[in-house]
Every structure is written in C-alpha cells, then in structure tokens.
Amino acid sequence: MVQEVFTGSLIYSHILPAILGFLSIIFLCNGIMDDNKIYTIVGVVMFFSAGLLPFVILPIVLGV
C-alpha cells in the first residue's frame, strides 16, 4: 500500500511536471518562432498546468 502511494506521489510531484514543463517550452518556442498562436497558447497552458497540477492532484492521491 505504501509503495503504491509513494510511486503515485512521485509520478505526480516530480515526473509529470518535468515532462509537461519541457513540452511546454518546446511548444512556446515553436509557437513564437512560427507565429502560431495555437502552439503558443498550448505552451502557456501546459506550463501553468505543470506548476499547478501537483497541488491539485497530490492531495487527492495522498488522501490529505
């Protein structure tokens, strides 16, 4: 039980935000350089979700 909670919290607190943050920077750079507003907006939304999603998901996963 403890191992599953630890693995779930590790995924949502360290791994997923890093992946979302990296992809958001790629989308932002691509959108700004190509003047594509859709990619830029997707990059901004992904960047904010990478920062805020752990604070929303972790209390649910940990049951706090």
Side-chain angles (χ1 to χ4, degrees):
M1 175 78 179
V2 174
Q3 183 66 28
E4 289 86 13
V5 171
F6 180 70
T7 304
S9 65
L10 185 67
I11 289 171
Y12 290 118
S13 67
H14 288 83
I15 298 171
L16 196 61
I19 292 171
L20 281 176
F22 177 74
L23 290 176
S24 70
I25 298 298
I26 299 288
F27 273 108
L28 276 170
C29 292
N30 195 13
I32 290 171
M33 290 176 69
D34 292 340
D35 289 330
N36 192 344
K37 291 184 181 181
I38 299 297
Y39 281 175
T40 307
I41 292 170
V42 168
V44 169
V45 168
M46 284 177 66
F47 188 78
F48 281 115
S49 68
L52 295 176
L53 219 54
F55 294 105
V56 174
I57 293 177
L58 281 175
I60 296 169
V61 170
L62 297 176
V64 176

